[in-house]
Each structure stands twice: as structure tokens, then as C-alpha cells.
Coordinates of all heavy atoms in Angstrom, one line a residue:
G401 N -20.1 -1.5 -4.7 CA -21.3 -0.7 -5.0 C -20.9 0.5 -5.8 O -19.9 0.5 -6.5
L402 N -21.9 1.4 -5.9 CA -21.8 2.6 -6.7 C -21.4 3.8 -5.7 O -22.0 4.0 -4.7 CB -23.1 2.9 -7.3 CG -23.2 4.2 -8.1 CD1 -22.2 4.2 -9.3 CD2 -24.6 4.4 -8.6
V403 N -20.3 4.5 -6.1 CA -19.9 5.6 -5.3 C -19.4 6.7 -6.3 O -19.0 6.5 -7.4 CB -18.7 5.2 -4.4 CG1 -17.5 4.7 -5.2 CG2 -18.3 6.2 -3.4
Q404 N -19.6 8.0 -5.8 CA -19.1 9.1 -6.6 C -17.6 9.2 -6.5 O -17.0 8.8 -5.5 CB -19.8 10.4 -6.1 CG -21.3 10.5 -6.5 CD -21.8 11.8 -6.1 OE1 -21.4 12.5 -5.2 NE2 -22.9 12.2 -6.8
A405 N -17.0 9.8 -7.5 CA -15.6 10.1 -7.5 C -15.2 10.9 -6.3 O -15.9 11.8 -5.9 CB -15.2 10.9 -8.8
G406 N -14.1 10.5 -5.7 CA -13.7 11.1 -4.4 C -14.1 10.4 -3.2 O -13.6 10.6 -2.1
G407 N -15.1 9.5 -3.4 CA -15.6 8.7 -2.2 C -14.7 7.5 -1.8 O -13.6 7.3 -2.4
S408 N -15.2 6.8 -0.9 CA -14.5 5.6 -0.3 C -15.4 4.4 -0.3 O -16.6 4.5 -0.1 CB -14.0 6.0 1.1 OG -13.1 7.1 1.1
L409 N -14.7 3.3 -0.3 CA -15.4 2.0 -0.1 C -14.4 1.1 0.6 O -13.2 1.2 0.5 CB -15.8 1.3 -1.4 CG -17.0 1.9 -2.2 CD1 -17.1 1.1 -3.5 CD2 -18.3 1.7 -1.4
R410 N -15.0 0.2 1.4 CA -14.2 -0.8 2.1 C -14.7 -2.2 1.7 O -15.8 -2.6 2.0 CB -14.2 -0.7 3.6 CG -13.2 -1.6 4.3 CD -13.5 -1.6 5.8 NE -12.4 -2.2 6.6 CZ -12.6 -2.8 7.7 NH1 -13.8 -3.0 8.2 NH2 -11.5 -3.3 8.4
L411 N -13.8 -2.9 1.0 CA -14.2 -4.3 0.6 C -13.7 -5.3 1.7 O -12.7 -5.1 2.3 CB -13.5 -4.7 -0.7 CG -13.8 -3.7 -1.9 CD1 -13.1 -4.3 -3.2 CD2 -15.2 -3.5 -2.1
A412 N -14.4 -6.4 1.8 CA -14.0 -7.4 2.7 C -14.1 -8.8 1.9 O -15.0 -8.9 1.1 CB -14.9 -7.5 3.9
C413 N -13.3 -9.7 2.3 CA -13.3 -11.0 1.7 C -13.2 -12.0 2.8 O -12.1 -12.1 3.5 CB -12.2 -11.2 0.7 SG -12.1 -12.9 0.0
V414 N -14.2 -12.8 3.1 CA -14.2 -13.8 4.2 C -14.0 -15.2 3.6 O -14.6 -15.6 2.6 CB -15.5 -13.8 4.9 CG1 -15.5 -14.8 6.0 CG2 -15.8 -12.4 5.5
V415 N -13.0 -15.8 4.2 CA -12.7 -17.2 3.7 C -13.2 -18.2 4.7 O -13.0 -18.1 5.9 CB -11.1 -17.4 3.7 CG1 -10.8 -18.7 3.1 CG2 -10.5 -16.3 2.8
S416 N -14.0 -19.2 4.1 CA -14.5 -20.2 5.0 C -14.1 -21.6 4.4 O -13.7 -21.7 3.3 CB -16.1 -20.1 5.0 OG -16.6 -20.2 3.7
G417 N -14.3 -22.6 5.3 CA -14.0 -23.9 4.9 C -12.7 -24.4 5.6 O -12.0 -23.6 6.3
T418 N -12.3 -25.6 5.3 CA -11.1 -26.2 5.9 C -9.9 -25.8 5.1 O -9.8 -26.2 4.0 CB -11.2 -27.7 6.0 OG1 -12.4 -28.0 6.8 CG2 -10.0 -28.3 6.7
I419 N -9.0 -25.0 5.7 CA -7.8 -24.6 5.0 C -6.6 -24.8 5.9 O -6.7 -24.4 7.1 CB -7.9 -23.1 4.6 CG1 -9.1 -22.8 3.8 CG2 -6.7 -22.6 3.9 CD1 -9.4 -21.4 3.4
F420 N -5.6 -25.2 5.4 CA -4.3 -25.4 6.2 C -3.3 -24.4 5.6 O -2.7 -24.6 4.6 CB -3.8 -26.8 6.1 CG -4.8 -27.8 6.7 CD1 -5.6 -28.6 5.8 CD2 -4.9 -28.0 8.0 CE1 -6.5 -29.5 6.3 CE2 -5.8 -28.9 8.5 CZ -6.7 -29.6 7.7
G421 N -3.2 -23.3 6.4 CA -2.1 -22.4 6.0 C -2.4 -21.4 4.9 O -2.0 -21.7 3.8
I422 N -3.0 -20.3 5.3 CA -3.2 -19.3 4.3 C -1.9 -18.4 4.3 O -1.5 -17.9 5.4 CB -4.4 -18.4 4.6 CG1 -5.7 -19.2 4.6 CG2 -4.5 -17.2 3.6 CD1 -6.9 -18.4 5.0
N423 N -1.3 -18.3 3.2 CA -0.1 -17.5 3.1 C -0.5 -16.1 2.7 O -1.0 -15.3 3.5 CB 0.9 -18.1 2.2 CG 1.4 -19.5 2.8 OD1 1.5 -19.6 4.0 ND2 1.6 -20.4 1.9
T424 N -0.3 -15.8 1.4 CA -0.6 -14.4 0.9 C -2.1 -14.3 0.6 O -2.7 -15.2 0.1 CB 0.2 -14.1 -0.3 OG1 1.6 -14.3 0.0 CG2 0.0 -12.7 -0.8
M425 N -2.7 -13.1 0.9 CA -4.0 -12.8 0.5 C -3.9 -11.6 -0.4 O -3.2 -10.6 -0.1 CB -4.9 -12.5 1.8 CG -4.9 -13.6 2.8 SD -5.9 -13.2 4.3 CE -7.5 -13.8 3.7
D426 N -4.6 -11.6 -1.5 CA -4.5 -10.7 -2.6 C -5.9 -10.1 -3.0 O -6.9 -10.7 -2.8 CB -4.0 -11.3 -3.9 CG -2.8 -12.3 -3.6 OD1 -2.0 -12.0 -2.8 OD2 -2.8 -13.3 -4.4

């Protein structure tokens, strides 16, 4: 989103589906 300098945001990334073995998340 839009934030002023000095502010904070928290991003999230949700993984769905059939996955075997998530190693690194970037």
C-alpha cells in the first residue's frame, strides 16, 4: 500500500496448493 516515510508495513505471502517440501522462502 501507500505509506509515509518513516512508517511501517507488514507483507504476507500465503502459499496454497499441493507442495512437497518448501525449502527457502524469499
Side-chain angles (χ1 to χ4, degrees):
L402 175 64
V403 64
Q404 288 187 332
S408 298
L409 285 175
R410 189 189 192 212
L411 306 183
C413 173
V414 179
V415 182
S416 62
T418 302
I419 304 175
F420 298 100
I422 299 176
N423 296 323
T424 303
M425 305 181 85
D426 318 322

